[in-house]
Amino acid sequence: MKLYFAPGACSLAGRISLHEAGLVAEFERVDLKTKITEQGYDYLSINPRGYVPLLALDDGSAITENIAVLEFIADRDPALGPGGPLGRTRLLEILSWLSTELHVAFRPLWDSGDDAEKATAADLVAKLLDIISEQINELYLFGPRFTVADAYLFAMLRWTGALGITVSPQMRGYFERVAERPSVQRALSEEGLPNARNLIDISSFEALK
Ligand SMILES: N[C@@H](CCC(=O)N[C@@H](CS)C(=O)NCC(=O)O)C(=O)O
């Protein structure tokens, strides 16, 4: 299988999760501005939506959307989901929240919108992170068990560092815990990203790209 990614983008969650699951994959970088892949293909012909991630399977099928990509990986390695009778439902619940509430809230911050709009978006992201930090009572979102949802949250927390969004000490501690995982260190290094283990070290966009 092959994960189409852009360094530091949300596709980092898929890469971390693939490593956690011990799944062998290739990775192809996409230039999100030109929509050309590193092998010179027109990415829009691979994913007409133009964004990453896309996970291409060996049988020729393709999975898009973080929720689906991460759920697919957790399905291959159930240890990467919360487990229990409602495990799958709880995983979809948190992945949906991360995608449709938190991820979307970042969007104005990447656009060239006005400063007031960006300030409102930054406030919303901070508020949403406060809400989700209440779910981190132990090590991770689902207690002691690291799941694909943690990989997604980690990828987005990296952005807060560069965007100057202040997060709670509890969230910073969570970030540091996730950053220590070998799968995360490997993923960051493969994407050419600094192996920052705390959010303070991610103080520029260079650290995202
Ligand atoms: N709904 C999509 C959104 C993915 C997304 O926003 N990807 C960003 C990177 S984090 C991207 O590729 N943006 C480039 C673009 O939209 O042109 C998902 O959850 O997978």
Side-chain angles (χ1 to χ4, degrees):
M1 70 184 104
K2 184 195 274 188
L3 181 73
Y4 288 86
F5 77 100
C10 50
S11 46
L12 180 64
R15 184 190 291 261
I16 292 169
S17 300
L18 287 166
H19 291 336
E20 287 281 345
L23 294 170
V24 177
E26 292 169 43
F27 298 90
E28 184 156 354
R29 182 180 177 142
V30 179
D31 183 326
L32 292 176
K33 289 201 182 79
T34 62
K35 308 292 182 195
I36 302 293
T37 76
E38 67 182 289
Q39 289 185 22
Y41 293 105
D42 171 15
Y43 185 59
L44 290 174
S45 68
I46 299 166
N47 182 3
R49 295 176 200 158
Y51 49 62
V52 291
L54 180 143
L55 187 63
L57 304 186
D58 296 342
D59 68 1
S61 52
I63 303 172
T64 60
E65 302 299 318
N66 281 292
I67 297 173
V69 168
L70 296 173
E71 196 273 342
F72 172 84
I73 298 169
D75 196 47
R76 299 286 295 271
D77 180 3
L80 287 172
L86 280 180
R88 197 185 180 96
T89 304
R90 292 292 174 227
L91 184 62
L92 287 175
E93 184 179 48
I94 193 77
L95 289 177
S96 302
W97 187 89
L98 289 168
S99 175
T100 65
E101 301 292 335
L102 184 58
H103 193 164
V104 165
F106 277 95
R107 206 157 272 166
L109 294 159
W110 307 128
D111 296 341
S112 47
D114 61 58
D115 287 349
E117 206 183 323
K118 285 183 195 289
T120 305
D123 285 349
L124 176 59
V125 167
K127 190 176 134 216
L128 293 172
L129 288 172
D130 279 347
I131 290 169
I132 198 64
S133 77
E134 285 173 21
Q135 186 170 329
I136 305 166
N137 295 319
E138 290 181 66
L139 295 179
Y140 303 114
L141 286 164
F142 291 101
R145 189 157 167 172
F146 181 88
T147 69
V148 293
D150 293 296
Y152 195 4
L153 180 54
F154 175 82
M156 290 190 277
L157 273 176
R158 290 188 73 255
W159 304 340
T160 65
L163 293 165
I165 298 171
T166 306
V167 304
S168 66
Q170 190 186 7
M171 223 15 145
R172 283 205 301 276
Y174 167 83
F175 181 88
E176 286 161 23
R177 268 196 303 286
V178 177
E180 288 296 334
R181 295 183 72 84
S183 66
V184 174
Q185 290 297 309
R186 179 178 165 196
L188 292 173
S189 148
E190 287 172 351
E191 294 201 2
L193 302 167
N195 284 1
R197 285 176 167 79
N198 69 65
L199 279 171
I200 312 292
D201 292 342
I202 305 176
S203 56
S204 76
F205 278 95
E206 285 313 301
L208 293 180
K209 305 246 160 81

